[in-house]
């Protein structure tokens, strides 16, 4: 069915935006104060990174991958406990100083994961591998193998 047609009355103030162009999504992150991701599984979380870089305080599921990346830069909640998510959001909404502190922490942490730093790390890895690896012998072609037989 159509997105948004089955919204229960208790969440009727929810706006489902559907798919957005990346520029629009980034603008929404810059306008928002808080980003919440109560995911049960998330290997990295590109939208979390973009929200943090956009200045959002983060409320994230307390799962190993997100804890590893965002520890001390986010509020962590049990993703299976809606009241924990609600309470974390209410706390950040009510306490502007804490919200600003988590916005600052998230933005600083997001700088660790910039595209330029990723490229630099990959280049360093490849350069290191080229310096320490012996030249590889090319694999023999099928015709070379047949000639040897």
């Amino acid at each position: 069915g159509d997105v948004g047609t089955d919204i229960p009355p208790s969440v009727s103030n929810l706006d489902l935006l559907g798919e957005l162009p990346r520029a629009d999504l980034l603008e929404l992150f810059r306008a928002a104060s808080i980003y919440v991701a109560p995911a049960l599984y998330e290997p990295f979380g590109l939208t979390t990174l973009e929200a943090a870089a956009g200045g959002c305080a983060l409320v994230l599921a307390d799962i190993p991958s997100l804890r590893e990346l965002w520890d001390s830069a986010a509020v962590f909640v049990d993703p299976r406990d809606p009241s924990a998510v609600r309470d974390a959001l209410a706390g950040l909404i009510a306490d502007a100083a804490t919200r600003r502190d988590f916005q600052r922490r998230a933005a600083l942490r997001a700088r660790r994961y910039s595209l330029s730093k990723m490229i630099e790390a990959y280049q360093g890895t490849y350069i290191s591998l080229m310096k320490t690896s012996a030249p590889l012998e090319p694999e023999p072609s099928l015709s070379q193998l047949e000639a040897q037989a």
Side-chain angles (χ1 to χ4, degrees), residues 34-45 47-49 57-82 84-86 88-89 92:
I34 303 168
Y35 174 80
V36 61
L40 297 176
Y41 173 77
E42 182 61 70
F44 179 78
T47 56
T48 302
L49 175 59
L58 303 175
V59 176
L60 304 177
D62 195 357
I63 58 175
S65 59
L66 294 177
R67 176 71 72 172
E68 178 184 346
L69 295 166
W70 299 101
D71 195 31
S72 77
V75 175
F76 289 94
V77 296
D78 179 349
R80 296 181 191 274
D81 183 355
V85 176
R86 183 192 64 236
L89 287 168
L92 287 174

Side-chain angles (χ1 to χ4, degrees), residues 74-130:
V75 175
F76 289 94
V77 296
D78 179 349
R80 296 181 191 274
D81 183 355
S83 63
V85 176
R86 183 192 64 236
D87 292 348
L89 287 168
L92 287 174
I93 290 167
D95 187 344
T98 299
R99 184 177 62 247
R100 283 191 301 271
D101 182 47
F102 275 102
Q103 288 171 320
R104 180 188 57 78
R105 291 179 192 201
L108 286 172
R109 181 67 53 85
R111 291 183 190 164
R112 287 186 185 178
Y113 308 111
S114 70
L115 181 59
S116 61
K117 286 185 179 182
M118 182 184 70
I119 291 169
E120 194 175 293
Y122 269 107
Q123 286 177 331
T125 300
Y126 289 136
I127 289 169
S128 175
L129 288 170
M130 290 188 308

